[in-house]
Amino acid sequence: MAQKSAVFGRPLNILALLALAIGLWGCAHVEPSAARTQWTASDVAQRPYQEVGKWETAIAAYEEADKTNPPPPGSIVFVGSSSIAFWKTLTEDMAPMGVLNRGFGGSKIYDLVYYANRIVWPYKPKAIVVFSGTNDIVRPSPGAPEKVEQGFIDFIAETRAIYPGIDIHYISISPTEARSTAYQQVAETNKKIAALAKLDDRLYFIDTASATTSGGLPRTDLFRNDKLHLNAKGYAVWAAIIRAHLLSIYRRN
């Protein structure tokens, strides 16, 4: 593992390496531990959170909904930014697999890390599907691909501290016309996450970007008028790819 970590141009932290190693042999569904139940002010100060609390209303709404209609344990939890939140046909699109949508707004990668203890871990998920990082690359920004990579590594490490060896799937970031100046950094980020997935048998990179582009440019017929979010046709493309990927793994479960 230490030699493989050179793929990213720097050593991974010990916790991340341990989490990835556990993924090769650990059980994918165990009772949660007390590894992370809440964040302290010190935690927040030491991590790259920019607007802590910005998504509190959305997260609290999920928690209130869970009180009146508790989701069954063992679902595949989809989490991430607005492209997940706007996916209103997710349940039907992934049938017969049981899924749970916990997308929230224009969240960034470390918003996902911050709120995982409230909208991911409590559900005892069978697996987790992540679409996050696109809002970290709104425009070319020095170190943005590395930030998304490291944020995803942190998410993996902290989630695996709760559920050793759980399957985690990352949906690739799609280039969009609205963020045309960031194409190169989007490609770099996808490359980094895909390389990370090759280190771990229970970490998966789902390439949807190839199907939402043509000649390296976004397919305009798959996006809304804002040139950023998928339309119904775009979600149908996503659904076909992601459902087939998940069914290949969980068809018997």
Side-chain angles (χ1 to χ4, degrees):
M1 292 295 292
Q3 292 180 340
K4 287 185 178 181
S5 69
V7 170
F8 305 103
R10 65 180 190 283
L12 302 180
N13 62 54
I14 293 175
L15 182 57
L17 283 172
L18 177 60
L20 293 175
I22 289 173
L24 296 175
W25 55 267
C27 174
H29 193 172
V30 299
E31 291 300 309
S33 71
R36 173 72 70 182
T37 57
Q38 62 182 357
W39 289 89
T40 67
S42 176
D43 291 325
V44 172
Q46 295 177 34
R47 303 294 284 279
Y49 304 116
Q50 296 184 357
E51 296 178 293
V52 174
K54 180 176 182 179
W55 309 111
E56 182 61 31
T57 299
I59 303 304
Y62 281 136
E63 292 177 322
E64 285 301 311
D66 292 344
K67 292 177 182 178
T68 58
N69 186 25
S75 295
I76 300 174
V77 176
F78 280 65
V79 69
S81 55
S82 54
S83 292
I84 298 297
F86 293 163
W87 196 345
K88 303 305 181 183
T89 59
L90 176 64
T91 299
E92 295 80 5
D93 289 343
M94 294 298 116
M97 296 174 288
V99 299
L100 183 64
N101 189 323
R102 285 299 178 264
F104 56 110
S107 58
K108 298 180 180 181
I109 190 71
Y110 272 100
D111 296 318
L112 172 58
V113 179
Y114 181 77
Y115 285 114
N117 66 313
R118 294 170 62 185
I119 60 164
V120 180
W121 304 339
Y123 303 120
K124 300 181 181 179
K126 176 194 294 289
I128 302 166
V129 179
V130 173
F131 181 76
S132 187
T134 182
N135 292 315
D136 296 88
I137 318 175
V138 174
R139 60 187 62 84
S141 176
E146 290 76 16
K147 177 184 176 181
V148 175
E149 174 198 14
Q150 188 59 54
F152 189 49
I153 288 171
D154 287 350
F155 176 79
I156 296 166
E158 296 192 12
T159 299
R160 292 269 177 83
I162 306 295
Y163 297 104
I166 191 170
D167 291 348
I168 300 176
H169 309 259
Y170 186 94
I171 301 172
S172 64
I173 300 175
S174 297
T176 63
E177 280 193 273
R179 297 172 179 174
S180 59
T181 60
Y183 288 166
Q184 182 175 349
Q185 288 199 317
V186 165
E188 290 175 6
T189 302
N190 284 336
K191 183 177 180 180
K192 287 179 178 295
I193 303 299
L196 180 64
K198 292 179 180 179
L199 303 177
D200 186 336
D201 287 347
R202 310 202 85 158
L203 184 64
Y204 301 87
F205 178 81
I206 307 175
D207 178 17
T208 54
S210 295
T212 59
T213 56
S214 178
L217 298 176
R219 286 178 52 185
T220 57
D221 61 318
L222 301 182
F223 292 87
R224 300 182 183 184
N225 291 336
D226 63 7
K227 300 181 180 181
L228 178 62
H229 297 101
L230 295 170
N231 58 24
K233 185 177 179 180
Y235 277 117
V237 170
W238 260 29
I241 295 169
I242 296 169
R243 183 175 183 274
H245 165 78
L246 294 175
L247 278 176
S248 72
I249 302 168
Y250 306 115
R251 185 180 299 274
R252 293 177 295 177
N253 297 330

